[in-house]
Amino acid sequence: MLFSVNQGIELYVKSICWSLNILLGYKSQYKTDHDIRGIWFTAKKKIMEFVFDAKAGRGEKEFNQKIKTLEAYLNELTDLLKKGNDKNNAYHDIDFSRYPVNNQNEYHFYVKQYDNVVIDLENFVTVFENISDCLESLASYYYDLVVESWQTE
């Protein structure tokens, strides 16, 4: 489940970056690694650069409220991955949800613990529905603006 969630977040955020690159006229690409928190901050910077539309309910205040759960998850995930990685390259360990060891054959954070690591499934659903709604609305909004810009060219 966590692998699918992280992959989904990564794809949504890269899609948002792609759309914003077009809207802002950038030739740059998004980061190609799996540092989803870093990719998110790249997208967020571009979102902040793009014009907010407060009259349409898409102001900076609404945006910051919308992304709270997403950023809390990405911060918690990064903190857990950094604890288990002496090199502080948390994105190298993003495969924690697929394999018990990283690419240096070291155990991931949850294998190093003696107690079971449990996931509250009700909270899991609530958190990731919120994140999904957030990313879906952002990706759709910017993609629709890209399509609209292509139609006016």
Side-chain angles (χ1 to χ4, degrees), residues 26-44:
Y26 292 160
K27 301 291 183 212
S28 63
Q29 296 183 350
Y30 46 79
K31 295 171 71 172
T32 58
D33 59 26
H34 300 291
D35 176 10
I36 58 177
R37 185 171 178 256
I39 298 166
W40 164 247
F41 283 123
T42 299
K44 182 178 177 183

Side-chain angles (χ1 to χ4, degrees), residues 21-146:
N21 281 342
I22 292 170
L23 293 168
L24 294 167
Y26 292 160
K27 301 291 183 212
S28 63
Q29 296 183 350
Y30 46 79
K31 295 171 71 172
T32 58
D33 59 26
H34 300 291
D35 176 10
I36 58 177
R37 185 171 178 256
I39 298 166
W40 164 247
F41 283 123
T42 299
K44 182 178 177 183
K45 181 179 173 188
K46 291 176 184 185
I47 289 169
M48 300 298 276
E49 187 177 338
F50 198 75
V51 179
F52 285 107
D53 187 357
K55 291 180 184 176
R58 290 188 174 88
E60 189 172 355
K61 180 181 169 186
E62 292 84 2
F63 170 73
N64 287 326
Q65 183 62 35
K66 179 185 288 265
I67 64 170
K68 275 186 175 182
T69 304
L70 170 65
E71 288 195 343
Y73 171 72
L74 293 176
N75 290 337
E76 182 179 354
L77 176 63
T78 300
D79 288 346
L80 284 169
L81 294 176
K82 281 185 177 180
K83 282 181 189 174
N85 186 347
D86 297 330
K87 296 164 190 63
N88 284 331
N89 293 324
Y91 63 89
H92 288 301
D93 283 341
I94 198 65
D95 279 342
F96 77 93
S97 54
R98 293 175 63 189
Y99 309 111
V101 295
N102 64 17
N103 58 2
Q104 284 97 30
N105 211 27
E106 302 163 330
Y107 291 123
H108 286 299
F109 65 91
Y110 61 92
V111 179
K112 291 179 182 179
Q113 297 184 25
Y114 292 108
D115 297 330
N116 287 331
V117 175
V118 296
I119 296 174
D120 178 345
L121 289 179
E122 290 176 2
N123 187 49
F124 179 92
V125 170
T126 301
V127 166
F128 292 111
E129 280 180 345
N130 180 292
I131 291 172
S132 175
D133 291 345
C134 167
L135 292 173
E136 170 67 26
S137 67
L138 289 171
S140 296
Y141 175 69
Y142 293 113
Y143 178 74
D144 289 346
L145 291 177
V146 167

